[in-house]
Every structure is written in structure tokens, then in C-alpha cells.
Amino acid sequence: MGREIVRTLAREKDFVLVGACDVQEVGQDAGVLSGVGPLGIPIQDDLERVLEESAPQVVCDFTHAEALRKNFPVFVKYRMAMVIGTTGLTQDEIQNIRQVVERERLGCVIAPNFAIGAVLMMYFARVAAPFFQAVEVIEYHHPQKKDAPSGTALKTIEGMDSGHFMTPEGQELVAGARGGMYRGVRVHSVRLPGFVAHQEVIFGGEGQVLTIRHDSLSRSSFMPGVLLALRKVCEAPQFYYGLEGILGLE
């Protein structure tokens, strides 16, 4: 995702990349590593040093939950606008981030998925939920993904009124065969090479099945949403959980 963001920003006239931070590829030029040619931006592994030297207006964090827990106080210290694509945070942690951001009057977007099609999938699932008696969610990702279920799957379920769904129970001959349970909804996580990020929400009703599915075939699918979020947090210092509020889908 870091390389994809660098490639995207290199094409945008209203953004300039001023710093790059990672624990890998330290010292390499971020542009060369991302395939856009030299940008004169070496990758550093000291976040505070990067922010102090480059003084960015907005920062993107696409790390993992453990790293974000350390990074977030640094972002607040340097009063950064933030676009966060890191998943694996608890709801309590997200609410804590919201409280800090609102208290400090900073701009922040936390989104489990930046693909606009995925946001629409979640929205359509929310619209369909009241009309069906049962639902299950299946999400598919590459095997390097650290958390399961995905943040997108959890947010999809959170957006649906799941109090009325039936939850058939049967004997599992293999433990976990029926997936996990979150807020009364079965959720299944697939991790296989070849997948990027995919999800289907399957509703069942009398004599019918409705499947709402989204597929991200490459990480470039996330970039329009990332750019939308970057521009929004720069102009509006407030907290957004997901792109729904930015897209007017709430």
C-alpha cells in the first residue's frame, strides 16, 4: 500500500510527498522503490524524525494495529491530519482516537476499506438487511493479512441491524466450520495467494438469495478513496470512520 500511495501521489498536482517511514527498505529512495523514479525521499525508520524534518500537512498510516498504537500519539504531538487504513483496532480504540482527534481539533479518517465500491457494498448491505431473515459474510484476502475477520467485514456487520437475523445452529464436525460469530452474524475469513481484497454479503430469505459482492483486483482500487480522504482531512478538521460520511452515504 505504501508503494501504491507513493505512485499515486507522484501523479497528483496538488500533493507533494515530503517523507516516508518504514522499518524495511530503510535508506532507499521511496520513488525508486515504488517505480516512479528518484524523488529524493529516503525511507527512514524514525517516525518523529521524519515528521520533524519534513513538516507534512497530512500523514497516511497503512501499517498494523500494534504499530498504529505507537504512531498515533506521535501524529497528535505533531498535530498531523491523518488518513488511517490500518485495521485490527478494537471499537474502544477507535472511539479513543475519535475523542482525542475531536479534542485536539485534528482531521482524521479511519477506514477499513478505501475502495469506493466496497463502501457502496457496505451501504447496499445496510439497505438490504431489514428485508431478509438471515445473512452471512465471507471475506477473502491475501495470506499476509494479519487480522481476521477483516475490518471491512466487521464494519459491514456493524452497519446492519442484526437483531432480527436467525442464526441456525448445527453440530460442527470440524471446529470452526461454521465460521465466527460477530453481533449475531456468521463471518468467514479466507486467506489464499491470488486474492487481494474481496467480500460477499449473502442474504437468505424465503425462496431467494441475494448476494452483494465487491472485488478489489489490485491495490490501485483503493487510491481514489485515499485521495478523497487526504483532501477531506486537509480542508475539514474532524473525525470520519469510513468513507460513508465523505460520500454522503450515512
Side-chain angles (χ1 to χ4, degrees), residues 40-101:
I41 305 293
I43 295 174
Q44 302 182 56
D45 59 1
D46 186 331
L47 178 60
E48 285 211 50
R49 181 179 177 184
V50 172
L51 297 182
E52 190 167 328
E53 291 180 350
S54 59
Q57 183 181 5
V58 59
V59 63
C60 285
D61 188 303
F62 281 78
T63 55
H64 53 82
E66 183 179 351
L68 179 61
R69 293 182 186 112
K70 299 175 182 177
N71 295 346
F72 178 69
V74 180
F75 298 152
V76 174
K77 175 182 176 180
Y78 286 87
R79 302 199 58 77
M80 293 287 97
M82 294 162 259
V83 171
I84 298 173
T86 300
T87 59
L89 299 172
T90 67
Q91 282 299 307
D92 286 343
E93 287 177 310
I94 292 172
Q95 287 305 311
N96 180 66
I97 290 174
R98 175 195 290 270
Q99 291 170 6
V100 173
V101 165

Side-chain angles (χ1 to χ4, degrees), residues 107 109 227-238 240 245-246:
V109 172
L227 289 173
L228 187 69
L230 285 169
R231 293 185 174 108
K232 192 66 176 181
V233 295
C234 287
E235 68 182 37
Q238 64 185 80
Y240 295 91
I246 298 175

Side-chain angles (χ1 to χ4, degrees), residues 197-219:
H198 317 255
Q199 180 173 294
E200 52 189 5
V201 186
I202 307 174
F203 291 96
E206 188 67 32
Q208 61 179 321
V209 170
L210 171 66
T211 300
I212 302 171
R213 178 175 175 122
H214 177 262
D215 298 275
S216 281
L217 305 179
S218 78
R219 288 173 177 81

